[in-house]
Structure formats: structure tokens, C-alpha cells
Amino acid sequence: MTSHGSLASSMMETAGLIIEMRDEVYCLELKEEESLEDFKCRLGKLIQCVKGDSDKVIIVSDMPLATPFNAATMLMQKYNIYHLTGMSMQMLTFLLQKDNSYMEEENLCREALAKAKEQTLYLNDVLKGEKKN
């Protein structure tokens, strides 16, 4: 998980209160003074440390087109990364569940995205009896 500030670690801590989490979950958070190149370098080193020969890596970044997102995008082909952006608790609790560790990375990412979409609601409409996308 990559983010600005402490968002990733805070969301991971919250997810840990809700679900039994996978063992290998890491957070890399952008420091205020850090450049894109510095963050990309740290992310590349983390990927190298945790990735085995055939392991695939899923990265969730907090928001599109910002430094953590850009760094992960730049490293996608080199490290065979699956990359989701727009961190939400629905997405993270699904991705991080120990029960889902059997799923292939591609299917896991697609299902996490679907869960995030179906569980993101505008409550004013829900309370009126209307669910609008």
C-alpha cells in the first residue's frame, strides 16, 4: 500500500480490526520532502525485498496521478505489478483478507474493485429508497 502521509498504515491498522489479514502486507508512505525519484527508488527496493522469483505484487495507491501512483506505475512492467488506485476500506478489506490468499492476483484485483464499487453508496439516496450509481 502506498500513500501520502500515514494514510496507508492507518487504513491497514483499521482493516486489521475488521478482518484476519494476510501475512505479507507492507506500507510505503511518501514523506513530505521526498521526490518522485526517491520514492520510486524506495518502492523498487521494497518490491525486490518481498518479491520471490515468481511472486506477483499488488500495489494499492491512495490517489491517481500523484507521486505514489506515478512511482508504482513506472515500476509496473519491471516488476510485474498489479496496481489499483483510489484506496477504499471496501477494496482493502477484500484484498487483505487471509481467506482470499488462494485467488490469482488478476481476479483478486478485479473482485476488489467490484466490491469497492458495489459498497460505495450515497446514503441520502439509500435512505430515500433509491440507489443511484
Side-chain angles (χ1 to χ4, degrees), residues 7-120:
L7 180 63
S9 57
S10 295
M11 290 185 83
M12 186 171 86
E13 182 181 330
T14 301
L17 298 172
I18 301 167
I19 59 167
E20 184 179 357
M21 286 195 351
R22 295 168 172 260
D23 296 327
E24 292 188 5
V25 178
Y26 303 90
C27 294
L28 190 68
E29 297 165 327
L30 179 69
K31 298 171 187 167
E32 189 173 327
E33 69 285 349
E34 196 168 23
S35 71
L36 171 61
E37 281 304 313
D38 291 341
F39 188 79
K40 182 178 131 191
C41 182
R42 283 198 310 132
L43 181 57
K45 287 178 182 175
L46 176 61
I47 293 167
Q48 288 175 335
C49 286
V50 301
K51 184 180 176 354
D53 291 337
S54 62
D55 291 340
K56 295 187 176 89
V57 174
I58 298 172
I59 294 181
V60 181
S61 55
D62 58 353
M63 55 196 271
L65 304 177
T67 299
F69 169 91
N70 291 336
T73 300
M74 292 169 159
L75 296 171
M76 283 178 72
Q77 286 188 317
K78 181 175 182 178
Y79 293 110
N80 196 16
I81 295 170
Y82 293 86
H83 187 192
L84 295 167
T85 190
M87 217 178 259
S88 72
M89 283 310 297
Q90 295 87 354
M91 178 190 295
L92 292 177
T93 54
F94 184 79
L95 276 175
L96 301 177
Q97 282 181 53
K98 197 169 220 159
D99 292 351
N100 292 337
S101 58
Y102 68 92
M103 293 180 76
E104 293 290 323
E105 290 81 0
E106 177 85 20
N107 293 334
L108 184 62
C109 289
R110 292 191 185 286
E111 188 65 26
L113 184 58
K115 294 278 184 206
K117 286 180 181 178
E118 77 185 32
Q119 294 177 10
T120 301

